[in-house]
Amino acid sequence: MSTILAKILLSIVFILSISRNSDAQFEDYCIADEQATEDVLQNAMNWACKNGADCSAIQDYQSCFFPNTTKDHASFAFNSYYQNMKHNGASCYFTAAAILTGLNPSHDSCKFEYLP
């Protein structure tokens, strides 16, 4: 077997082993885009909370109330909506106010849901 073919086969085996052993690398969370304005985030968050997001955790003094910022609350609402609705074709767009990330944004007692 030529060395080039051996290197190609080794590369394929390596790539396959990574994808089989690391399911977490494919998790996606929907969070507020840092570049979105407060008004855009607030409007998009209001829409998400009325259309499928569970926003109870960002209500006064609940598990995800702090930090009490529009960006943090919008991130939670966007992710909740996205996780609940992505299997029905929903996206993480929110009028360009949100982005997908592979990093889990959970912090302290605030746990962001991930549904495979």
Side-chain angles (χ1 to χ4, degrees):
M1 184 182 312
S2 74
T3 57
I4 294 174
L5 184 57
K7 288 180 181 180
I8 292 171
L9 288 173
L10 262 169
S11 297
I12 291 170
V13 169
F14 176 73
I15 290 169
L16 289 174
S17 70
I18 290 173
S19 63
R20 284 192 185 141
N21 294 333
S22 182
D23 292 337
Q25 72 181 349
F26 298 108
E27 290 181 1
D28 53 345
Y29 298 89
C30 182
I31 60 170
D33 188 332
E34 295 281 338
Q35 298 176 12
T37 66
E38 291 275 324
D39 289 343
V40 169
L41 289 174
Q42 186 67 54
N43 289 335
M45 176 176 54
N46 291 344
W47 183 90
C49 290
K50 292 176 184 172
N51 288 283
D54 178 1
C55 295
S56 59
I58 57 175
Q59 300 306 310
D60 288 352
Y61 304 101
Q62 296 304 307
S63 61
C64 295
F65 180 70
F66 293 109
N68 183 13
T69 68
T70 303
K71 181 183 78 64
D72 287 292
H73 287 187
S75 289
F76 187 86
F78 294 167
N79 188 67
S80 177
Y81 175 86
Y82 177 68
Q83 297 301 329
N84 290 333
M85 306 301 280
K86 66 183 177 184
H87 296 296
N88 295 326
S91 68
C92 176
Y93 182 67
F94 299 98
T95 61
I99 59 171
L100 285 174
T101 182
L103 300 175
N104 185 341
S106 298
H107 53 89
D108 303 317
S109 64
C110 181
K111 304 303 179 209
F112 279 58
E113 182 175 38
Y114 169 73
L115 299 174

